[in-house]
Structure formats: C-alpha cells, structure tokens
Amino acid sequence: MRLPIILINYKVYDNSFGNKAIELAKKIEKISREYSVEIILAVPATMIYRISQEVNLPIYAQHVDPVPLGAHTGAIPPELVKDAGAKGTLINHSEKRIRADEIDDILKRIRNLGLESVLCVDRYELVFPFGLLKPNAILIEPPELIGTGISVSKAKPEVITKAVDEIKKAKGVYLIAGAGISTGEDVFKAIELGAQGIGVASAVMKAKEPEKVVEDFVINALKAMGKF
Ligand SMILES: O=C[C@H](O)COP(=O)(O)O
C-alpha cells in the first residue's frame, strides 16, 4: 500500500457494475497515473475479474465469506476473489459485518493467500485490539455518518484523532478514515487529523462527474501530506 491511501468503495450503485463500472475505473486509473497515486477500488464480487482485466489499479473485494472451501452454496471465500484478480479485500464493513471471532482466522487466511486487507471498525476502541490482528489497514467509519454527506472529519474529528492514537500502539498498520466524506476539504482534514488516507463511496459513485471528485480528493490528500 502507498500513502496516501485512497479507497473508493463502489458498493452496489447503478454504476457499480457492467460497462459503467469499467468506464469509471478507467477514468480513475487516468487520475491515478497523472498524480502517481494509488487508488484502491473495492468492487462488487461479480466485477472483480472484468475490472482487474481492464485497469492497472489495486482491485479489492468488498467482503469475503469466512467459510472454508467446500459445501457452502453462494459463498465467496478469499481464494475465489484472489482467483478473480483481487489484490485485497475489505473485511467487516458496517454494511457487511462478520462475527468478531471470525476476524482473526479470515485475516490469517487472507494474508497466507498474499492478499491485502482493510479491516473496518465503527469505533476507536476497536482500533488497537483489531490492529493486533495485523490487517494492512484499519478503516474507521462511524456508521451513522455513512452515506449522509456529513463527514467524519467535520462531524466527529475526535473519532479520527483517538483512532490515530490507538493505531500507533498496534504498529505497522495503516489508519484510514471514512463516512460522509464529500469534499476535498473533508479529505484534507482527515489526513491533517492523522489518518493516512480516506475511504469514500457515495460522493464519488453518486456524482455527475465522479472523475472530478476523485481528482479533487487526490489533490487534497497529496496537499495534506505535503506532496503537492
Ligand atoms: O466504505 C466506504 C464507506 O462506507 C463510506 O461511504 P460514504 O462515502 O458513502 O459515506
């Protein structure tokens, strides 16, 4: 992973699949090249193969099922997303929780497959204990702000600063902040508060011109890190 971490979660909007999803990925790839910034796309499982064939960006799954290979109809365990072309996966997103006792095992399995992991938490108290499980990064998102357009950076800056204090104790795990991030200023603030990147969905996926939003976010992330 390279800093700043910009993670765009496609979720399942009407442009998250099919050709629209690929067109968007290509526009984002252009920005990634232009600014030499890594942009992670967490895409629906059905799109991992197609998008990873079309663009040179780290493609993540949005979730993997913590079940072993075998008789589990409909399940998508980590081996399958790797085979489809994923470089990593989100785990335990607020919209797709897994049980706390499954997290350690699934992270080990993801790591053994050579995949990256971004583990989501909803409060700073979980950052240190989950950080000890050594995901590549923790994404902290107060669930009540997700999709609201009211950013964690502005509405709950203390969530970021406390999470930053906690992640330092875990050592070697990045901290990303998300929920409601809508403007370049939100991105700048999140990084200024100590996050090493941002996670975003609706501000990009619902935008008329998503590439402009992504470019603005990238510029602000670079500025906040003193790289622009
Ligand atoms: O994974 C990303 C988040 O859930 C953020 O969603 P949002 O940007 O729509 O608030």
Side-chain angles (χ1 to χ4, degrees):
M1 278 180 173
R2 287 201 338 241
L3 302 188
I5 298 164
I6 310 280
L7 186 150
I8 300 173
N9 183 354
Y10 267 42
K11 299 197 177 180
V12 284
Y13 291 99
D14 66 355
N15 52 348
S16 302
F17 58 98
N19 292 337
K20 284 186 191 166
I22 292 170
E23 277 164 35
L24 176 57
K26 285 184 176 166
K27 287 178 183 165
I28 294 172
E29 182 187 36
K30 220 171 136 212
I31 296 163
S32 161
R33 282 224 177 94
E34 196 174 329
Y35 293 92
S36 290
V37 166
E38 190 174 84
I39 302 176
I40 299 169
L41 303 184
V43 306
T46 52
M47 290 303 294
I48 293 171
Y49 180 74
R50 284 181 71 190
I51 296 182
S52 60
Q53 290 289 306
E54 295 281 348
V55 296
N56 189 18
L57 292 173
I59 304 303
Y60 275 33
Q62 295 174 4
H63 167 79
V64 285
D65 289 308
V67 297
L69 295 178
H72 298 284
T73 303
I76 306 182
E79 289 78 3
L80 276 65
V81 303
K82 181 182 179 181
D83 180 61
K87 188 178 181 204
T89 184
L90 296 181
I91 285 290
N92 198 42
H93 191 277
S94 281
E95 292 152 6
K96 201 71 179 169
R97 288 275 182 239
I98 58 173
R99 292 199 321 262
D101 61 290
E102 294 170 323
I103 291 177
D104 191 18
D105 273 358
I106 196 76
L107 282 175
K108 283 188 186 132
R109 205 161 137 203
I110 290 166
R111 201 163 36 242
N112 288 338
L113 287 165
L115 293 171
E116 295 176 351
S117 54
V118 173
L119 175 61
C120 305
V121 299
D122 59 1
R123 65 203 106 123
Y124 75 87
E125 290 91 337
L126 293 175
V127 169
F128 176 56
F130 280 3
L132 292 176
L133 306 179
K134 299 294 173 203
N136 293 88
I138 287 188
L139 169 56
I140 185 154
E141 299 194 311
E144 66 279 11
L145 296 177
I146 292 177
T148 61
I150 301 165
S151 74
V152 58
S153 345
K154 279 189 195 143
K156 297 204 161 170
E158 71 286 356
V159 169
I160 302 181
T161 49
K162 286 179 179 165
V164 168
D165 287 342
E166 295 296 305
I167 202 82
K168 284 181 190 149
K169 296 189 245 162
K171 293 198 175 34
V173 181
Y174 295 122
L175 193 272
I176 320 174
I181 291 196
S182 314
T183 66
E185 199 189 331
D186 295 336
V187 174
F188 190 93
K189 185 105 195 277
I191 294 175
E192 194 180 42
L193 291 167
Q196 286 156 311
I198 55 110
V200 62
S202 49
V204 173
M205 301 309 293
K206 290 166 80 173
K208 252 198 178 143
E209 296 178 295
E211 64 279 15
K212 292 209 169 137
V213 176
V214 175
E215 186 173 18
D216 183 36
F217 285 7
V218 163
I219 290 172
N220 275 281
L222 288 170
K223 276 188 183 161
M225 290 206 155
K227 295 183 177 178
F228 186 85

